[in-house]
Amino acid sequence: MTPPTPPELVLIFDFGSQFGQLIARRVRDSNVFCMVVRHDISAARVRELNPRGIIFSGGPASVYEPNAPKCDPAVFDLNIPVLGICYGMQLACHVLGGTVSPAASREYGRATLTVTDANALFRGYPAESVVWMSHGDQVSTVTGDFVSLAATDTCPVAAVKHVTRPVYGLQFHPEVSHTPHGGQILANFLRDVCGCAGDWKMTTFIDSTVASIRQRVGDQRVICGLSGGVDSAVCAALLVKAIGKQVACIYVDNGLMREGETELVRHAFRDWFKADLRVVDAGPLFLAALAGVTEPQEKRKIIGKLFIDVFKAEALNIPGASFLAQGTLYPDVIESGGTADGPAATIKLHHNVGGLPKELGFELVEPLRDLFKDEVRRLGLELGLPEEVVWRHPFPGPGLAVRCLGAVTPEKLEVIRKCDTIFLDELHKSGWYRKTSQAFAVLLPVQSVGVMGDGRTYENTVALRCVQTDDFMTADWSHLPHELLARVSTNIINRVKGVNRVVYDVSSKPPATIEWE
């Protein structure tokens, strides 16, 4: 479900850039609402949406290739300001009379930009600065309709402005952190070129979304699935604010949760929000179904199917329910290219409730689908959720089953829970928990020789995983202090029976995934 379009809107045309989401995040940082849409959205549809500005993303193609992605050329006749980034600049110049050709040498990485015309786009910008380049083509010539605004040693046309149209272009990427002053360029475009006031705040989102939920739901009941994670918790809190007791929250305790997960959910929603919370104790069912299963995808399928069965049975006990809510976020929609004006979104399996809405005859409600993760956390705080809920690290839908490699047993789950709790407690005490994006322990199906006291042991190995990321599509391993890792290792080996070795995962995503299964 999408709240009413705010009065200030910027559209980001997606040409396949790996930085498309990042552009959107930077626009939101300026308190301007934006949407990522398909590159071939029609000019008529753009006119209906009435955006203050348009940003063309980069992309991997070459504009002169036969099947290169193009925009509707009539977009340039709408008198809406356009900022083209990398491929987006090349496309704008190509359509409006410039020449794009392969560069003499591919430019990738940092370059020194010299501003030659400090117009509105570069107002207050340093005469020389570092920018991030990533291109093999470049604009080689511009007609009299364009003027060059900046250059680098290898790219004489690194920024342009159309003489008569509100069309600008940047060959470099202002959205990445490697361009230190890039945020200023984007802010200048939004404020000085597009005339945006920057008045999109979280309170604005809450007010408009609450009104939208009330109008759509009426006096019907809404079922919201709680997983213990941030997204579902914020989704539920927003629904409770909008329609109160009309919301019924279902929490399925599958026996695969983190230490204290169920108690935290009960405290937050029964004690804080006085919500109608239904806790289903289904641990024995899940453990029985997983007995002897070792293949990761098979685990996921079993857990997913059983979750739907348990959830459905509980949902049918709630009279008057017509809607089913889930905490889908914006990256879950645009990660697959599915936007409001593009193909149907393909939401990742662990983010939704499968085919339940259709099975139950319910309508789907997704009040967070326009927000990024950091915005969801801010929303949660605005709604009064406890910090320990809002700042919890993400947790996979299949729970500890995919962090307990091999067959899942109650004994193994007890070991991994204790290890995970020790690791997270030490991260909290050291101040590293909020500096990292996700951290957890993994129980490996590997035994190794050890010595404890005077005796030889042959026991389990535990791997620690800790990553930092903005979007969870890519991630780098966290460079935790050696002293912290040593303390975690010592505490786990001393306090968790059956573990005699602890290792630290130093692989990034890609090529590795964040989870081990």
Side-chain angles (χ1 to χ4, degrees), residues 280-340:
V280 184
D281 182 8
L285 285 176
F286 281 85
L287 288 174
L290 289 169
V293 179
T294 59
E295 207 280 318
Q297 283 304 100
E298 188 62 23
K299 287 183 188 177
R300 288 179 177 271
K301 288 178 182 177
I302 289 170
I303 294 167
K305 182 181 184 306
L306 189 51
F307 172 84
I308 288 176
D309 291 343
V310 173
F311 192 98
K312 181 179 178 180
E314 185 64 27
L316 291 173
N317 291 327
I318 301 172
S322 302
F323 296 87
L324 186 65
Q326 68 180 31
T328 306
L329 303 193
Y330 202 39
D332 302 328
V333 179
I334 63 179
E335 191 173 288
S336 61
T339 62

Side-chain angles (χ1 to χ4, degrees), residues 25 30 93 100 103 116 169 171 206 232 235 295 317 329-330 364 405 462 470:
R25 290 174 65 88
S30 293
C93 291
V100 179
T116 55
Q171 184 55 69
I206 292 173
S232 66
C235 177
E295 207 280 318
N317 291 327
L329 303 193
Y330 202 39
L364 192 59
L405 276 55
V462 167
D470 287 328

Side-chain angles (χ1 to χ4, degrees), residues 302-468:
I302 289 170
I303 294 167
K305 182 181 184 306
L306 189 51
F307 172 84
I308 288 176
D309 291 343
V310 173
F311 192 98
K312 181 179 178 180
E314 185 64 27
L316 291 173
N317 291 327
I318 301 172
S322 302
F323 296 87
L324 186 65
Q326 68 180 31
T328 306
L329 303 193
Y330 202 39
D332 302 328
V333 179
I334 63 179
E335 191 173 288
S336 61
T339 62
D341 301 282
T346 303
I347 310 301
K348 290 175 285 187
L349 285 177
H350 62 276
H351 278 283
N352 64 20
V353 285
L356 269 177
K358 187 175 180 180
E359 283 187 36
L360 296 170
F362 289 175
E363 289 186 46
L364 192 59
V365 178
E366 298 172 305
L368 307 182
R369 66 179 287 126
D370 284 328
L371 300 183
F372 289 98
K373 176 70 80 172
D374 59 327
E375 294 171 325
V376 170
R377 293 191 194 280
R378 293 206 304 271
L379 173 59
L381 293 174
E382 287 277 351
L383 291 169
L385 277 170
E387 288 205 2
E388 58 265 35
V389 173
V390 171
W391 289 104
R392 287 204 98 181
H393 285 177
F395 190 60
L400 296 177
V402 293
R403 294 177 180 177
C404 179
L405 276 55
V408 179
T409 67
E411 295 76 22
K412 288 183 178 180
L413 290 171
E414 186 64 20
V415 168
I416 199 60
R417 274 197 194 95
K418 289 179 178 177
C419 294
D420 193 68
T421 299
I422 290 170
F423 187 24
L424 297 184
D425 283 348
E426 289 296 339
L427 288 175
H428 278 293
K429 290 175 187 175
S430 63
W432 270 91
Y433 187 84
R434 292 274 289 270
K435 297 177 187 177
T436 59
S437 305
Q438 192 168 357
F440 53 91
V442 181
L443 182 62
L444 307 184
V446 175
Q447 281 74 46
S448 66
V449 175
V451 177
M452 290 185 174
D454 296 323
R456 178 181 179 276
T457 63
Y458 192 65
E459 294 181 332
N460 295 310
T461 301
V462 167
L464 304 178
R465 181 72 159 140
C466 190
V467 299
Q468 290 166 287

Side-chain angles (χ1 to χ4, degrees), residues 64-186:
Y64 45 78
E65 293 175 347
N67 297 319
K70 301 288 197 303
C71 66
D72 182 345
V75 166
F76 293 108
D77 298 324
L78 298 176
N79 200 35
I80 297 171
V82 174
L83 174 63
I85 296 174
C86 198
Y87 179 89
M89 167 181 161
Q90 296 165 14
L91 177 63
C93 291
H94 178 71
V95 172
L96 298 176
T99 303
V100 179
S101 57
S105 61
R106 177 174 171 81
E107 194 170 22
Y108 183 84
R110 291 176 174 84
T112 300
L113 182 79
T114 301
V115 176
T116 55
D117 184 348
N119 68 86
L121 205 61
F122 289 99
R123 182 171 292 121
Y125 197 82
E128 283 196 353
S129 66
V130 173
V131 297
W132 182 262
M133 291 285 194
S134 178
H135 65 100
D137 298 333
Q138 63 185 34
V139 177
S140 51
T141 62
V142 289
T143 66
D145 290 333
F146 282 96
V147 293
S148 177
L149 306 178
T152 70
D153 288 341
T154 58
C155 184
V157 185
V160 295
K161 178 189 182 302
H162 197 276
V163 173
T164 58
R165 301 172 187 259
V167 177
Y168 296 79
L170 302 171
Q171 184 55 69
F172 57 93
H173 289 273
E175 70 273 23
V176 301
S177 59
H178 304 305
T179 302
H181 302 284
Q184 184 177 347
I185 297 176
L186 292 173

